[in-house]
Amino acid sequence: MFKKILIANRGEIACRVAETARRLGVQTVAVYSDADAHAKHVRVCDEAVHIGGNAAKDSYLQWQRILEAAKATGAQAVHPGYGFLSENEEFAQACADAGLVFIGPPPSAIAAMGSKSAAKALMEKAGVPLVPGYHGDNNDPAFLAEQAQRIGFPVLIKASAGGGGRGMRKVDKPEDFVAALASCQREAKASFGDDHVLVERYVTEPRHIEIQVFGDTQGQCVYLFERDCSVQRRHQKVLEEAPAPGMSEARRAEMGAAAVAAAKAVGYVGAGTVEFIAEELADGDLRFYFMEMNTRLQVEHPVTEAITGHDLVEWQLRVAAGQPLPAQQHELKIHGHAIEARICAENPDANFLPATGTLSVLRWPAHVGFARHAGAAPAQDPAPVRVDAGVREGDAISPYYDSMIAKLIVWGENRAQALARLDAALRDTHIVGLATNVAFLRRVAASPSFATADLDTALIERERAVLFDAPGLPLPLAAAGVIAQKIASEQALESADPWSKRDGWRIHGTARRRFDLQLGGQHHVATLERLHDGALRLAIGGEQWPLVTRSLGDDRYDVVIGGERHTLTVYLVGERVAVYGAHGSQELQEIDPIAHAGEAAGGAGRLTAPMPGKVIAIHVKPGDQVTAGQALAVMEAMKMEHTISAPRAGVVTELLYAVGDQVAEGGELLRLAE
Ligand code: ADP
Ligand code: ADP
Ligand code: MG
């Protein structure tokens, strides 16, 4: 086994590889860009080498610098992860030339599978079924248009060098073909530096089913069953599971054999995935076609680890070190069911637009790291929840890399149990600070199609109505969360100092308190009343509910509103409040009405107090010239200080109150002229 390896990647996969290496006693070297100087993967590795600027081309794709880093640190092998250099045969060759072991297949196997066209030609020879199409060298537009006619519309034009769901065009009718071809070739040239394309039949509502294969240097090759990755958006995977629902033993063996044949045809060594597209025939049977082979560890490998009990990164390291495969085909068994959800910084409602920002709150459900039982078949069940994350709370998601921030993997004795655990795990995943797809994933998992395993690549489109623009937590519940948090934080202050009792709030018979909440661009006023018997009543827009709140610790609150009991988790991030309930979440802003009073009244030159309070400071006098944003006065209300700032530049013409004065709601504090 190696003493030290370099991990030529970042994010969750770099952390995940490091975890297995550590367990095996192998030291790790991280590489990082400027933006990743403080990233988790740098922290979890034993050593780290800076390799360049933020853009991938200046760092994670700079293979000369990566090789130098390996030499300088004495690493014996390089793990490329996925993406970046993982399927670059020149890099694999350069590693070999530098005396380093590339933890992946031989360069010749990468090259053979690197072009989708060449791979299809090769698979045809090996007798693996293909999607009907044209994958030859002739890329003349008129010729390809003719081929499309022969195949039959709709067709799919694919960049031979494409990947990551890019470089694909579906064409529905002959008159659109030439324009779609030109556009596909432009994208292919720009993204992959190669405009060669293939044309194949567009399979309507297919399933994506892939087989995990593993080869060793002794010429053995096995398959570790299948994964269903049909749930996709923009040809990219969203949820993946193993085994594939509805797969018969006979079909599994047949597909496994086809995948092993594909791997053997290129002298495959290490982890690889043979991707198939499956079409359901009229009689309900499935027909499979080879699509492509990914010559690396896949993003979704954890579901295979969960059902087989094997650590695939350990297998990769052992095989790269020249050891035989840790298990023979007959020793591999499927145990239970696993589902993975890719958690991405993106906004599903804005066409999955990637998001950047700071992970102000990042809370995971109770979980463990990678599969904890490598080696032989599982003696015990895998952990119900696994989280592979490349980030920690407080980290930023930068615009330079992939939007995937973590993977949530669940295991169950059967699909129903895995699904229930997925729902609970997504419910308990709280990310505040930027847009994520967590709530969307939960809705996908709960959608009728996914719940009943009616899987195909059109699932998200079919379930649109229940997936997008879903309402979050209802306003009264969200407001109750804000109030529960506020009461608890004020009580915490009180108990620390017996003289700080909020008497105005407690002793008088009835006390009222107003909360100005902003939700989805709308302003709402929630009024909380304390009745004579001490009970609370919440009123919003003419409706009211009795309210009881109690802190449970860890940002959690027990809230009974209108007789209904809820457990809410509430996070305060600056002015924003994120409230999580069992059925959804909501992000609100609590507006300080006094601080914002000037904004509303600004135009009229009046600065009014929308809330009763006391003037505790005045910073200006009549005749003073003030600039926009300048602090004019300070008011105290609800034991909080609120600064009243000038909404625009102007001259103070009149002060209407003095320090110490009590101001009624709506009272005009001072006047400002242009
Ligand atoms: P990539 O290299 O981007 O992963 P693939 O060839 O694996 O490209 O295709 C990605 C996805 O596109 C598939 O998972 C499937 O959803 C869809 N797709 C690919 N080929 C076809 C086809 N012939 N008909 C319909 N959908 C297809
Ligand atoms: P998987 O098949 O393992 O799910 P993906 O297709 O999602 O993998 O790709 C894994 C990672 O590699 C993603 O970050 C994706 O954006 C990236 N990727 C895959 N193929 C390419 C490629 N040819 N060019 C650039 N990035 C790619
Ligand atoms: Mg693919």
Side-chain angles (χ1 to χ4, degrees), residues 374-385:
Q380 58 186 139
D381 291 346
V385 182

PDB file of all heavy atoms in Angstrom, residues 374-385:
ATOM      1  N   ALA A 374     -15.650  -1.498   5.556  1.00  0.00           N
ATOM      2  CA  ALA A 374     -15.020  -1.922   4.316  1.00  0.00           C
ATOM      3  C   ALA A 374     -14.556  -3.355   4.506  1.00  0.00           C
ATOM      4  O   ALA A 374     -14.562  -3.869   5.594  1.00  0.00           O
ATOM      5  CB  ALA A 374     -13.836  -1.027   4.026  1.00  0.00           C
ATOM      6  N   GLY A 375     -14.174  -3.972   3.425  1.00  0.00           N
ATOM      7  CA  GLY A 375     -13.672  -5.332   3.525  1.00  0.00           C
ATOM      8  C   GLY A 375     -14.699  -6.321   3.060  1.00  0.00           C
ATOM      9  O   GLY A 375     -15.231  -6.201   1.976  1.00  0.00           O
ATOM     10  N   ALA A 376     -15.022  -7.253   3.908  1.00  0.00           N
ATOM     11  CA  ALA A 376     -15.953  -8.310   3.507  1.00  0.00           C
ATOM     12  C   ALA A 376     -17.384  -7.779   3.474  1.00  0.00           C
ATOM     13  O   ALA A 376     -17.650  -6.644   3.849  1.00  0.00           O
ATOM     14  CB  ALA A 376     -15.860  -9.449   4.492  1.00  0.00           C
ATOM     15  N   ALA A 377     -18.278  -8.608   3.028  1.00  0.00           N
ATOM     16  CA  ALA A 377     -19.693  -8.230   2.968  1.00  0.00           C
ATOM     17  C   ALA A 377     -20.136  -7.781   4.349  1.00  0.00           C
ATOM     18  O   ALA A 377     -19.592  -8.208   5.357  1.00  0.00           O
ATOM     19  CB  ALA A 377     -20.518  -9.412   2.505  1.00  0.00           C
ATOM     20  N   PRO A 378     -21.131  -6.886   4.408  1.00  0.00           N
ATOM     21  CA  PRO A 378     -21.468  -6.261   5.684  1.00  0.00           C
ATOM     22  C   PRO A 378     -21.917  -7.242   6.755  1.00  0.00           C
ATOM     23  O   PRO A 378     -22.782  -8.071   6.539  1.00  0.00           O
ATOM     24  CB  PRO A 378     -22.598  -5.314   5.319  1.00  0.00           C
ATOM     25  CG  PRO A 378     -23.128  -5.798   4.023  1.00  0.00           C
ATOM     26  CD  PRO A 378     -21.980  -6.423   3.318  1.00  0.00           C
ATOM     27  N   ALA A 379     -21.300  -7.113   7.919  1.00  0.00           N
ATOM     28  CA  ALA A 379     -21.699  -7.933   9.061  1.00  0.00           C
ATOM     29  C   ALA A 379     -22.823  -7.222   9.783  1.00  0.00           C
ATOM     30  O   ALA A 379     -23.548  -7.800  10.551  1.00  0.00           O
ATOM     31  CB  ALA A 379     -20.507  -8.121   9.986  1.00  0.00           C
ATOM     32  N   GLN A 380     -22.930  -5.933   9.512  1.00  0.00           N
ATOM     33  CA  GLN A 380     -23.975  -5.149  10.156  1.00  0.00           C
ATOM     34  C   GLN A 380     -24.546  -4.189   9.112  1.00  0.00           C
ATOM     35  O   GLN A 380     -23.947  -3.965   8.068  1.00  0.00           O
ATOM     36  CB  GLN A 380     -23.395  -4.375  11.332  1.00  0.00           C
ATOM     37  CG  GLN A 380     -22.254  -3.467  10.898  1.00  0.00           C
ATOM     38  CD  GLN A 380     -21.580  -2.802  12.063  1.00  0.00           C
ATOM     39  OE1 GLN A 380     -20.372  -2.686  12.081  1.00  0.00           O
ATOM     40  NE2 GLN A 380     -22.342  -2.336  13.017  1.00  0.00           N
ATOM     41  N   ASP A 381     -25.691  -3.596   9.417  1.00  0.00           N
ATOM     42  CA  ASP A 381     -26.289  -2.665   8.475  1.00  0.00           C
ATOM     43  C   ASP A 381     -25.453  -1.388   8.388  1.00  0.00           C
ATOM     44  O   ASP A 381     -24.865  -0.972   9.374  1.00  0.00           O
ATOM     45  CB  ASP A 381     -27.696  -2.279   8.948  1.00  0.00           C
ATOM     46  CG  ASP A 381     -28.662  -3.445   8.854  1.00  0.00           C
ATOM     47  OD1 ASP A 381     -28.321  -4.441   8.178  1.00  0.00           O
ATOM     48  OD2 ASP A 381     -29.746  -3.356   9.455  1.00  0.00           O
ATOM     49  N   PRO A 382     -25.442  -0.759   7.215  1.00  0.00           N
ATOM     50  CA  PRO A 382     -24.750   0.524   7.123  1.00  0.00           C
ATOM     51  C   PRO A 382     -25.490   1.561   7.967  1.00  0.00           C
ATOM     52  O   PRO A 382     -26.650   1.362   8.339  1.00  0.00           O
ATOM     53  CB  PRO A 382     -24.854   0.893   5.650  1.00  0.00           C
ATOM     54  CG  PRO A 382     -25.424  -0.270   4.946  1.00  0.00           C
ATOM     55  CD  PRO A 382     -26.077  -1.134   5.964  1.00  0.00           C
ATOM     56  N   ALA A 383     -24.822   2.658   8.249  1.00  0.00           N
ATOM     57  CA  ALA A 383     -25.487   3.740   8.986  1.00  0.00           C
ATOM     58  C   ALA A 383     -26.659   4.229   8.151  1.00  0.00           C
ATOM     59  O   ALA A 383     -26.574   4.278   6.930  1.00  0.00           O
ATOM     60  CB  ALA A 383     -24.493   4.868   9.217  1.00  0.00           C
ATOM     61  N   PRO A 384     -27.780   4.583   8.807  1.00  0.00           N
ATOM     62  CA  PRO A 384     -28.944   5.043   8.042  1.00  0.00           C
ATOM     63  C   PRO A 384     -28.684   6.318   7.244  1.00  0.00           C
ATOM     64  O   PRO A 384     -29.262   6.502   6.189  1.00  0.00           O
ATOM     65  CB  PRO A 384     -30.008   5.290   9.105  1.00  0.00           C
ATOM     66  CG  PRO A 384     -29.460   4.840  10.395  1.00  0.00           C
ATOM     67  CD  PRO A 384     -28.032   4.489  10.238  1.00  0.00           C
ATOM     68  N   VAL A 385     -27.821   7.192   7.756  1.00  0.00           N
ATOM     69  CA  VAL A 385     -27.563   8.451   7.047  1.00  0.00           C
ATOM     70  C   VAL A 385     -26.067   8.721   6.963  1.00  0.00           C
ATOM     71  O   VAL A 385     -25.335   8.556   7.940  1.00  0.00           O
ATOM     72  CB  VAL A 385     -28.237   9.653   7.764  1.00  0.00           C
ATOM     73  CG1 VAL A 385     -27.993  10.942   6.981  1.00  0.00           C
ATOM     74  CG2 VAL A 385     -29.733   9.414   7.940  1.00  0.00           C
TER      75      VAL A 385
END
